[in-house]
Amino acid sequence: MPTVRVTRRAHFCSAHRIYRDDWSQEENREVFGDCSNPNWHGHNYILDVTVEGPVDPETGYVADLKVIKQVVKERVVDDVDHRNLNLEVPWLEGTIVSTENFAVAIWERIRGSLPSTVRLHRVFLQETPNNSVEYLGPEGD
Amino acid sequence: MPTVRVTRRAHFCSAHRIYRDDWSQEENREVFGDCSNPNWHGHNYILDVTVEGPVDPETGYVADLKVIKQVVKERVVDDVDHRNLNLEVPWLEGTIVSTENFAVAIWERIRGSLPSTVRLHRVFLQETPNNSVEYLGPEGD
Amino acid sequence: MPTVRVTRRAHFCSAHRIYRDDWSQEENREVFGDCSNPNWHGHNYILDVTVEGPVDPETGYVADLKVIKQVVKERVVDDVDHRNLNLEVPWLEGTIVSTENFAVAIWERIRGSLPSTVRLHRVFLQETPNNSVEYLGPEGD
Amino acid sequence: MPTVRVTRRAHFCSAHRIYRDDWSQEENREVFGDCSNPNWHGHNYILDVTVEGPVDPETGYVADLKVIKQVVKERVVDDVDHRNLNLEVPWLEGTIVSTENFAVAIWERIRGSLPSTVRLHRVFLQETPNNSVEYLGPEGD
Amino acid sequence: MPTVRVTRRAHFCSAHRIYRDDWSQEENREVFGDCSNPNWHGHNYILDVTVEGPVDPETGYVADLKVIKQVVKERVVDDVDHRNLNLEVPWLEGTIVSTENFAVAIWERIRGSLPSTVRLHRVFLQETPNNSVEYLGPEGD
Amino acid sequence: MPTVRVTRRAHFCSAHRIYRDDWSQEENREVFGDCSNPNWHGHNYILDVTVEGPVDPETGYVADLKVIKQVVKERVVDDVDHRNLNLEVPWLEGTIVSTENFAVAIWERIRGSLPSTVRLHRVFLQETPNNSVEYLGPEGD
């Protein structure tokens, strides 16, 4: 059967800041600029989760997108939507919440919960219309 | 000369929460839901400022959009981008930072700074792709 | 208090056709073209419902968008999403399901279910990225 | 019958510059900035033409959008797409091709060619994602 | 000469349902949910066809996009736009019209009709803003 | 450290034409159609520059996007925005300004100016919403 990639998009709104607490506020500002604002800022994130696998001849699906949607909801969106990424998300604790680190953490967060018939191919995370990242996993796909 | 409306779009990213400090956290959560999260959340706002006026026969412009852009930047964007709307914006102090109140405050913030040849027609503010408000001024246009 | 307009967006996917059953298939095709295809076609509709009202000084809201969202869901989306507009929607029975008639029917469908503090201002319905309609009510607003 | 507004969107790509030939290049640059570049620049314009009228009970249409599309194509798009707005469009001759003047000219260009059952309500013209104008006709609607 | 990928986008509107006629309606609903609705539903599909090849030094083109557009139109869009994918498209007969199977069928449908100087690289098919698939061919590219 | 791709988007507006001056106007029109119009046309280009590299454990960044933004601005946008690509851009001289050649030229223009810790992965250039190209470098990535 052909191998196809399937993408499910999710949206969420979070507060965060980029900073290191072992640096002074001046050092943080110098390296991270406005993104280190101690009073936080936030974003409407767009998350695309792409999985890859053979098309099931019985259903025509690589994966039931309702299942992928549910995994992304339970493992990611419910934890981060209308939350502070630095203060309220256990699986981001101790992480500088850059878009890069956030995407890698989302990868780790969902890869074990996907149906066994698919392989996680890509996590794409858009922070603003002009800034985005994609992570293809530890083997760079 | 014909009267035309001209719109300039701006983007900014801010943190906020919707709450009243004269209410308990439970009351806030009951009325405002996740939007009252004490640890904040945030958005990529889209702001459209529309002005209306006669086309200047000398330039073909209702207004120089560089001027409108500069007014929106100096009076609004510089104050709110990568900021906490509840804690860091003097002209929002004492306001519940709903999208409605925020749009009205932006109207008040810019109407006195526009070129005298135009009338502020509309402030459109999108908080998420699914939620937006528009304010047409105290006379409802 | 200032009067502000608040818009909630919804998405749904439906099948339909434009035709009159008192016309022959040839007549239908001549007037409605491909849109009259007896085997149906369909769209991803975008629906913007805009309500208008005074900002409540206690909450900063014209309306709780969760309520508007719920009204739009219960009165419209649940009835039309993944449905055939011609065959399965009681409140469209006997109607030629043009985007115009559909928007007017949505207006009638929701206006009685909105909070009493707001007035329905506009129903905007996009059928394709290039085709859309807006209805401002029987008094043309 | 209810009155509804119907919008048809068109796209085109054109070159232009904003300048007055009775001004020196320095004067043009001072007033119009980069937009006066003698070697031209260009845009992907988005044009929304909105007409208003009663819904025809026989068809459910305010207007056949194929007809509106054809009018916009013949009277506007065919003349401006992949053209130089300053040099090649007879109905823009002698006009400073600002977005304002262009929108007014498009209004004049199409209003006489529309079906008699509709009234031209609005010409919306987007020059860039951040800059747009709308014209509601000589009576400001 | 450098190898570059070129993408042409097309839009079309179709009705379909996801179901197996060797299953009962209950089984279909259990597996496919609302997508199996016997009365159909539909979508505004977005199709991106990406081809890859060396840049022709004589023209600067990998391929004339007018040619790619024409192939996509003749081999795909003309057959599916305003059609029922289950009932009216010979090259989808016997196929469960999931987005996955549809994308694979589009690949097969166009790869033999492309200019010999390019290789089909990817078929991307968006069913809704939140659901999409991509197919890179039988060798997974 | 994980390897992540980071994308920065930029916008610019330019005039151009596709033609060879060693061909007659008729030959140019035959091959390039309206794109060869001697009076120019233009576009709102969208440029996505994607770099790839390990996440710096000290900052959580693959690259400071302010730096990428600055490189793209200084090496590309400042040279082409509101300019004529055929007449005013030294690094496009002698090039047929197809989207393909333009993307390759942008690659060459920025790859030497990026931080040493990242590798340029992709230049994506959208000329119109329906036409775009991507270049992955001389080794096809």
Side-chain angles (χ1 to χ4, degrees):
Chain A
M1 292 305 298
T3 293
V4 173
R5 292 178 187 158
V6 178
T7 296
R8 177 73 196 177
R9 173 164 289 191
H11 296 258
F12 53 87
C13 305
S14 314
H16 82 141
R17 60 181 294 217
I18 313 280
Y19 76 112
R20 296 181 63 101
D21 51 21
D22 56 345
W23 287 1
S24 71
Q25 199 166 313
E26 289 68 32
E27 286 172 299
N28 273 297
R29 177 152 294 271
E30 195 181 315
V31 173
F32 299 119
D34 277 351
C35 296
S36 70
N37 179 2
N39 288 313
W40 319 99
H41 65 284
H43 298 291
N44 300 350
Y45 288 91
I46 299 177
L47 168 63
D48 282 350
V49 171
T50 302
V51 301
E52 183 176 79
V55 179
D56 180 340
E58 188 162 292
T59 60
Y61 283 171
V62 163
D64 186 341
L65 276 174
K66 286 193 298 295
V67 173
I68 308 296
K69 177 186 178 180
Q70 194 61 20
V71 169
V72 173
K73 181 180 182 299
E74 287 176 9
R75 300 288 295 169
V76 179
V77 176
D78 286 352
D79 283 358
V80 298
D81 190 30
H82 283 73
R83 291 288 181 283
N84 185 307
L85 302 177
N86 301 78
L87 302 180
E88 299 182 287
V89 183
W91 43 276
L92 291 174
E93 245 172 56
T95 310
I96 301 172
V97 194
S98 64
T99 324
E100 289 92 327
N101 280 340
F102 194 10
V104 173
I106 289 170
W107 176 284
E108 296 302 328
R109 186 78 186 148
I110 57 182
R111 68 168 177 167
S113 303
L114 294 167
S116 62
T117 50
V118 300
R119 194 175 66 78
L120 181 55
H121 167 65
R122 182 178 49 207
V123 166
F124 168 88
L125 188 60
Q126 190 201 74
E127 194 184 62
T128 74
N130 290 339
N131 294 347
S132 61
V133 310
E134 59 179 338
Y135 181 53
L136 302 180
E139 285 133 56
D141 198 41
Chain B
M1 291 304 299
T3 293
V4 174
R5 292 180 187 158
V6 178
T7 297
R8 176 72 198 177
R9 173 162 289 191
H11 297 259
F12 54 86
C13 304
S14 314
H16 82 141
R17 59 181 295 215
I18 314 280
Y19 77 111
R20 296 182 61 102
D21 51 20
D22 56 345
W23 286 1
S24 71
Q25 200 166 313
E26 289 66 34
E27 287 172 298
N28 273 297
R29 175 150 297 269
E30 196 182 315
V31 174
F32 298 120
D34 277 350
C35 296
S36 70
N37 180 1
N39 287 314
W40 320 99
H41 65 284
H43 298 290
N44 300 347
Y45 288 92
I46 299 177
L47 168 63
D48 282 349
V49 171
T50 302
V51 301
E52 184 175 78
V55 179
D56 180 340
E58 189 163 290
T59 60
Y61 283 170
V62 164
D64 186 341
L65 276 174
K66 285 191 300 295
V67 173
I68 307 297
K69 177 186 179 181
Q70 193 62 20
V71 168
V72 174
K73 179 180 183 299
E74 286 176 10
R75 301 289 295 169
V76 180
V77 176
D78 286 351
D79 283 358
V80 298
D81 189 31
H82 284 73
R83 292 286 182 284
N84 187 306
L85 301 177
N86 301 77
L87 303 180
E88 299 183 285
V89 183
W91 43 275
L92 291 173
E93 245 171 58
T95 310
I96 301 172
V97 194
S98 64
T99 323
E100 289 91 327
N101 279 341
F102 193 10
V104 173
I106 289 170
W107 176 285
E108 295 302 329
R109 185 79 186 148
I110 58 182
R111 66 166 180 168
S113 303
L114 293 167
S116 62
T117 49
V118 300
R119 196 175 64 79
L120 182 55
H121 166 65
R122 182 178 52 206
V123 166
F124 168 89
L125 187 60
Q126 190 202 72
E127 194 183 63
T128 74
N130 291 338
N131 295 347
S132 61
V133 309
E134 59 179 339
Y135 181 54
L136 303 180
E139 284 132 56
D141 199 40
Chain C
M1 289 307 298
T3 293
V4 174
R5 293 179 186 158
V6 178
T7 296
R8 177 72 197 176
R9 173 163 289 191
H11 296 259
F12 54 87
C13 304
S14 314
H16 82 141
R17 59 181 294 216
I18 314 280
Y19 78 112
R20 295 182 63 101
D21 51 20
D22 57 345
W23 286 1
S24 72
Q25 199 166 312
E26 289 68 33
E27 287 172 298
N28 274 297
R29 177 153 295 271
E30 194 183 314
V31 174
F32 298 121
D34 277 350
C35 296
S36 70
N37 180 1
N39 288 313
W40 320 99
H41 66 284
H43 299 289
N44 301 347
Y45 288 92
I46 298 177
L47 168 63
D48 282 348
V49 171
T50 301
V51 301
E52 183 176 79
V55 180
D56 180 339
E58 188 162 290
T59 60
Y61 283 170
V62 163
D64 187 341
L65 276 174
K66 284 191 301 295
V67 173
I68 307 297
K69 177 186 178 180
Q70 193 60 20
V71 169
V72 173
K73 180 180 183 300
E74 287 176 8
R75 301 289 295 170
V76 181
V77 176
D78 285 352
D79 283 358
V80 298
D81 189 30
H82 284 73
R83 292 288 181 283
N84 186 307
L85 302 177
N86 300 77
L87 303 179
E88 300 183 286
V89 184
W91 44 275
L92 291 174
E93 246 172 56
T95 310
I96 301 173
V97 194
S98 64
T99 323
E100 289 92 328
N101 279 341
F102 194 9
V104 173
I106 290 171
W107 176 285
E108 295 303 329
R109 185 78 186 148
I110 58 182
R111 67 167 178 167
S113 303
L114 293 167
S116 63
T117 50
V118 300
R119 196 176 64 79
L120 181 54
H121 166 65
R122 180 179 50 204
V123 166
F124 168 90
L125 188 60
Q126 190 202 72
E127 194 183 63
T128 73
N130 291 337
N131 294 348
S132 61
V133 310
E134 58 179 339
Y135 181 53
L136 302 180
E139 286 132 54
D141 198 41
Chain D
M1 291 306 297
T3 293
V4 174
R5 292 179 187 159
V6 178
T7 296
R8 177 73 196 177
R9 173 162 289 192
H11 297 259
F12 54 87
C13 304
S14 314
H16 82 141
R17 60 181 293 216
I18 314 279
Y19 77 112
R20 296 181 62 101
D21 51 20
D22 56 345
W23 286 2
S24 71
Q25 198 167 313
E26 289 68 33
E27 286 172 299
N28 274 298
R29 177 151 295 268
E30 195 182 314
V31 173
F32 298 120
D34 277 351
C35 296
S36 70
N37 179 2
N39 288 312
W40 320 99
H41 65 284
H43 299 290
N44 300 348
Y45 288 91
I46 299 176
L47 168 64
D48 281 350
V49 171
T50 302
V51 301
E52 184 177 79
V55 179
D56 180 339
E58 189 162 289
T59 60
Y61 283 172
V62 164
D64 187 341
L65 276 175
K66 285 192 299 296
V67 172
I68 307 296
K69 177 186 178 180
Q70 193 61 20
V71 169
V72 173
K73 181 180 181 302
E74 286 176 9
R75 301 287 297 169
V76 180
V77 176
D78 286 352
D79 284 358
V80 297
D81 190 29
H82 283 73
R83 291 288 182 282
N84 185 307
L85 302 177
N86 300 78
L87 302 180
E88 300 183 286
V89 184
W91 43 275
L92 290 173
E93 246 171 55
T95 310
I96 302 173
V97 194
S98 63
T99 323
E100 290 91 328
N101 279 340
F102 193 10
V104 173
I106 290 170
W107 176 285
E108 295 303 329
R109 186 78 187 149
I110 58 182
R111 66 168 179 167
S113 303
L114 294 166
S116 63
T117 51
V118 301
R119 194 175 64 79
L120 181 55
H121 167 65
R122 180 178 51 205
V123 167
F124 168 88
L125 188 60
Q126 190 202 73
E127 194 183 62
T128 74
N130 291 338
N131 294 347
S132 61
V133 310
E134 58 179 339
Y135 181 53
L136 302 180
E139 285 133 54
D141 196 42
Chain E
M1 290 306 298
T3 294
V4 174
R5 293 179 186 157
V6 178
T7 296
R8 177 72 197 177
R9 173 163 289 191
H11 297 258
F12 55 87
C13 304
S14 314
H16 82 143
R17 61 180 294 217
I18 314 279
Y19 77 113
R20 296 180 64 98
D21 51 21
D22 56 345
W23 287 0
S24 71
Q25 198 166 313
E26 289 67 33
E27 286 171 298
N28 274 297
R29 176 152 296 271
E30 195 183 315
V31 173
F32 298 120
D34 277 350
C35 296
S36 70
N37 180 2
N39 288 313
W40 319 99
H41 65 284
H43 299 290
N44 300 348
Y45 288 91
I46 299 177
L47 169 63
D48 282 349
V49 171
T50 302
V51 301
E52 182 176 80
V55 180
D56 180 340
E58 188 162 291
T59 59
Y61 284 171
V62 163
D64 186 341
L65 276 174
K66 286 192 299 296
V67 173
I68 307 296
K69 177 185 178 181
Q70 194 60 20
V71 169
V72 173
K73 180 180 183 300
E74 286 176 10
R75 301 289 295 170
V76 180
V77 176
D78 285 353
D79 283 358
V80 298
D81 190 30
H82 284 73
R83 291 287 181 285
N84 186 306
L85 302 177
N86 301 77
L87 302 179
E88 299 182 288
V89 184
W91 43 274
L92 290 173
E93 246 172 55
T95 310
I96 302 172
V97 194
S98 63
T99 323
E100 289 92 327
N101 280 341
F102 194 8
V104 173
I106 290 171
W107 176 284
E108 296 302 330
R109 186 77 186 149
I110 58 181
R111 67 167 177 167
S113 303
L114 294 167
S116 62
T117 50
V118 300
R119 195 175 64 79
L120 182 55
H121 167 65
R122 182 179 49 204
V123 166
F124 168 89
L125 188 60
Q126 191 202 72
E127 194 183 64
T128 74
N130 291 338
N131 294 348
S132 61
V133 310
E134 59 179 338
Y135 181 53
L136 302 180
E139 286 133 55
D141 198 41
Chain F
M1 293 304 298
T3 294
V4 174
R5 292 180 187 157
V6 178
T7 296
R8 176 72 197 177
R9 173 163 289 191
H11 297 259
F12 54 87
C13 305
S14 314
H16 81 141
R17 60 181 294 216
I18 314 280
Y19 78 113
R20 296 180 62 101
D21 52 20
D22 56 345
W23 287 1
S24 71
Q25 200 166 312
E26 289 67 34
E27 287 172 298
N28 273 298
R29 176 152 295 270
E30 196 183 313
V31 174
F32 298 119
D34 277 351
C35 297
S36 70
N37 179 2
N39 288 314
W40 319 99
H41 65 285
H43 299 290
N44 300 348
Y45 288 92
I46 299 177
L47 169 63
D48 282 349
V49 171
T50 301
V51 301
E52 184 176 79
V55 179
D56 180 340
E58 189 162 289
T59 60
Y61 283 171
V62 163
D64 186 341
L65 276 174
K66 286 192 299 297
V67 173
I68 307 297
K69 177 186 179 181
Q70 193 61 20
V71 168
V72 173
K73 180 180 182 301
E74 286 176 8
R75 300 288 295 169
V76 179
V77 176
D78 286 351
D79 283 359
V80 297
D81 189 31
H82 284 73
R83 292 287 181 283
N84 185 307
L85 302 177
N86 301 78
L87 303 180
E88 299 183 287
V89 184
W91 43 275
L92 291 172
E93 245 171 57
T95 310
I96 301 172
V97 194
S98 64
T99 324
E100 290 91 327
N101 280 341
F102 194 9
V104 173
I106 290 171
W107 176 284
E108 296 301 330
R109 185 79 186 148
I110 58 182
R111 68 167 176 166
S113 303
L114 294 167
S116 62
T117 50
V118 300
R119 195 174 65 79
L120 182 54
H121 167 66
R122 182 178 51 205
V123 166
F124 168 88
L125 188 60
Q126 190 201 73
E127 194 183 64
T128 74
N130 290 339
N131 294 348
S132 61
V133 309
E134 60 179 337
Y135 181 54
L136 302 180
E139 285 133 55
D141 199 39

